[in-house]
Amino acid sequence: MTPRSALNRTLLALAGLVLLGGGLLILFAGLDLYRRHDLAPPAGWPLTTSADVLLGSADRARWSSQGWWWPAVIAALALVALLALWWLLAQLSRRRPGSLPVGGTPPQEGVELRDHALSEAIANEAGALPGVGHAAVHITGRPARHRTRIDLTLTPEGTPGATLGALCEGPLSTARRSTGLPDPPTEVRLQVSRHGPHRVE
């Protein structure tokens, strides 16, 4: 899990808990569930009956006569709106490069390679290596600074050292020669496929 996805999940979890708690408070008060089911809410608990309101008239008008009140409220709401818009745009931004320039630096004008096509080509060649049962390739980042993550599932006969050497000399070298791109930062994850126990007679 990347720091970005962890932050997103944390923010979504906190927002969900706040909304869930507020919704349950309003639901319990609106349906008068405390009285109907003889439940005793804790002392000072808000919204315990259907006649309760979240903010009374006195609370709503307490600061409205002060000169700083409305500018502060408007500034706070604007800040919250800007932060929400920034977060939304960050989620909509592309995490994959989409298209990669082909032909080195400077790239050939009008010639691009889709990241899905390059990922599939590397995965197909890596999956055909000796000792590799399955290969999956993911290209992330910006076109000029993309990263490659390769997940390899080794067969019981495969060895990590030999597989990594064959990967560098084979699929990665082929991709570099074909596209003219320099070697991007590459992360390789290895795992061994599960197999049943052998019966010895």
Side-chain angles (χ1 to χ4, degrees), residues 31-199:
L31 298 179
D32 204 10
L33 296 180
Y34 295 109
R35 183 183 60 81
R36 291 184 179 182
H37 298 283
D38 296 327
L39 299 175
W45 198 255
L47 302 176
T48 57
T49 66
S50 58
D52 289 342
V53 294
L54 187 60
L55 288 176
S57 300
D59 293 328
R60 293 196 305 268
R62 177 178 301 176
W63 307 109
S64 59
S65 61
Q66 303 295 325
W68 56 267
W69 172 248
W70 289 115
V73 170
I74 294 174
L77 292 177
L79 180 61
V80 171
L82 288 176
L83 289 176
L85 180 61
W86 168 79
W87 183 79
L88 177 62
L89 293 177
Q91 305 317 303
L92 296 178
S93 63
R94 181 183 292 272
R95 296 186 181 183
R96 301 176 60 91
S99 298
L100 300 172
V102 176
T105 304
Q108 297 181 9
E109 184 177 356
V111 180
E112 292 182 338
L113 176 65
R114 299 295 296 175
D115 58 344
H116 290 289
L118 181 59
S119 298
E120 185 176 352
I122 296 176
N124 289 338
E125 189 172 352
L129 294 175
V132 176
H134 177 72
V137 179
H138 304 279
I139 298 177
T140 59
R142 300 177 180 178
R145 300 181 62 181
H146 63 281
R147 301 176 60 87
T148 304
R149 192 187 76 190
I150 304 176
D151 297 317
L152 297 180
T153 301
L154 303 182
T155 62
E157 296 77 18
T159 57
T163 301
L164 287 177
L167 179 68
C168 294
E169 297 175 1
L172 295 181
S173 178
T174 302
R176 183 179 64 251
R177 292 195 309 269
S178 301
T179 62
L181 297 173
D183 285 329
T186 302
E187 176 185 0
V188 181
R189 299 181 181 181
L190 301 176
Q191 62 180 358
V192 179
S193 61
R194 297 180 181 180
H195 58 92
H198 297 283
R199 183 176 178 181

